[in-house]
Structure formats: C-alpha cells, structure tokens
C-alpha cells in the first residue's frame, strides 16, 4: 500500500496551505480574544479586591465609632423617671388616696435623683434607703414607717415599699 501522490496536484496543495494558514490565523484570533477577556477579568478582580479592602476599612471605622458611641451612651445613662409602689397597703386597709399621697411624698423626698447618672444613683442607694426608711408617715392619725423591699436602678428608678406600724 502506498500513499497517493496528492502533493503534485495544485488543488490539494492550496487546500492544505489554506488549512495551515487558517489554523494559524484562527489561533492568533483566539489568543487575542482570550487575552482581552483575561485582561478585563483581571481588571475587574483588582477593582473588586480594592473595593472589598475599602469596605472592610470603612466597616472597621464604623464599628469602632459605634462601640465608642455605645460606651459614651452607657456612661451617660441617667434616671428619667421614679416609680414608687407600696405593696402591702391592703393589709392595713389604707385607702388609695392615702397610699398615693404617701408615694408622692416619698417621690418628692428622692426627686433629687432625677437626671443623675446611674453610677451616682447606685453609689447613693444606701442613702436613698435611709431617706425612705427614716421618715415617719402619718395616715389616718396613725404613724407608719416604710421599708424598702426592692430597689431597681436604671433609667426608671423603681422602688417597692412595705408599710409597717411604727
């Protein structure tokens, strides 16, 4: 078996030469398109990496500022309202007006704590208890004293009291 002598025919020579030249041209076009595409993707990746770095830095700045603001706000929390509740008024059969007047009287005695920061109020909690417990209260010609059962110190100062005969 032998290879046919096609190399002598000019039509086949042009066909093979065209295939070789076409292959070379298509390879050059492929390399150009792939190179441009790769360059665009590389540029996009660089932009996105820089944007990620910038956003992370910005996020870090915001977080630090947020933590600092929270720290300052916690330090500056103040007492906004004073709530006083007498728990056992029914035991002594006291009317609601007398209970309300007593609560108002105690509130007037400790209203100096309004707009004070929580740390100051916490440090003076013993003073608050003594102010409340050492004041005798006269209701319906009887003398009573108050005892602090619960003292909650936050933006609302909540005090639960029990009333007792003196």
């Amino acid at each position: 078996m032998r290879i046919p002598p096609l190399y002598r025919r000019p039509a086949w020579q042009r066909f093979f030469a065209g295939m070789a030249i076409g292959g070379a041209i298509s390879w050059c076009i492929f390399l150009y398109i792939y190179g441009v595409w790769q360059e665009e993707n590389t540029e996009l990746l660089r932009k996105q990496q820089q944007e990620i770095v910038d956003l992370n830095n910005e996020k870090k700045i915001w977080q630090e500022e947020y933590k600092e603001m929270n720290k300052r706000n916690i330090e500056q929390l103040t007492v906004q309202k004073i709530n006083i509740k007498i728990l056992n008024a029914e035991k002594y059969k006291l009317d609601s007006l007398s209970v309300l007047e007593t609560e108002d009287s105690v509130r007037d005695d400790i209203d100096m704590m309004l707009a004070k920061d929580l740390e100051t109020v916490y440090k003076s909690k013993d003073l608050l208890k003594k102010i409340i417990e050492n004041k005798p209260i006269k209701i319906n010609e009887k003398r009573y004293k108050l005892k602090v059962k619960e003292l909650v110190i936050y933006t609302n100062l909540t005090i639960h009291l029990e009333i007792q005969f003196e």
Side-chain angles (χ1 to χ4, degrees):
M1 210 171 255
R2 102 179 178 40
I3 298 174
L6 298 177
Y7 61 89
R8 293 188 185 155
R9 293 189 183 162
W12 283 103
Q13 288 177 355
R14 277 183 283 196
F15 174 72
F16 287 125
M19 278 182 49
I21 292 173
I25 291 174
S26 65
W27 181 252
C28 290
I29 291 173
F30 168 76
L31 285 179
Y32 174 75
I33 291 174
Y34 182 76
V36 168
W37 179 74
Q38 197 68 6
E39 191 175 312
E40 287 174 0
N41 283 343
T42 304
E43 186 64 31
L44 178 66
L45 283 174
R46 282 190 196 132
K47 284 181 184 178
Q48 288 175 345
Q49 286 174 344
Q50 185 61 39
E51 191 173 327
I52 288 171
V53 168
D54 292 343
L55 289 174
N56 281 338
N57 290 338
E58 187 176 327
K59 182 181 83 169
K60 193 180 297 182
I61 290 170
W62 279 105
Q63 285 176 341
E64 289 172 4
E65 187 174 316
Y66 181 75
K67 286 178 185 176
E68 184 65 31
M69 284 177 56
N70 279 345
K71 191 175 178 182
R72 278 188 268 139
N73 285 341
I74 287 173
E75 289 173 359
Q76 294 178 355
L77 283 177
T78 59
V79 174
Q80 304 292 324
K81 187 177 179 184
I82 298 175
N83 297 325
I84 297 175
K85 177 82 172 132
I86 297 178
L87 299 175
N88 64 341
E90 300 85 25
K91 178 179 176 182
Y92 296 101
K93 297 180 181 162
L94 299 175
D95 58 300
S96 60
L97 178 63
S98 299
V99 172
L100 183 63
E101 287 176 350
T102 305
E103 289 174 355
D104 287 341
S105 170
V106 172
R107 188 176 294 113
D108 289 341
D109 289 342
I110 62 171
D111 68 348
M112 65 204 159
M113 292 299 164
L114 279 175
K116 299 280 186 192
D117 63 301
L118 295 181
E119 185 177 352
T120 305
V121 175
Y122 180 76
K123 287 179 181 176
S124 62
K125 69 180 178 178
D126 294 328
L127 177 64
L128 278 174
K129 285 182 181 180
K130 286 181 182 179
I131 289 173
I132 294 169
E133 291 178 352
N134 289 337
K135 182 181 177 190
I137 295 176
K138 191 170 186 178
I139 301 173
N140 299 333
E141 306 299 324
K142 294 179 185 172
R143 294 174 61 103
Y144 296 96
K145 67 178 182 177
L146 297 171
K147 184 174 181 185
V148 177
K149 287 306 260 184
E150 185 177 354
L151 180 67
V152 178
I153 300 172
Y154 201 60
T155 56
N156 289 342
L157 179 61
T158 305
I159 303 172
H160 290 192
L161 304 172
E162 279 192 353
I163 196 165
Q164 300 172 344
F165 282 118
E166 189 171 49

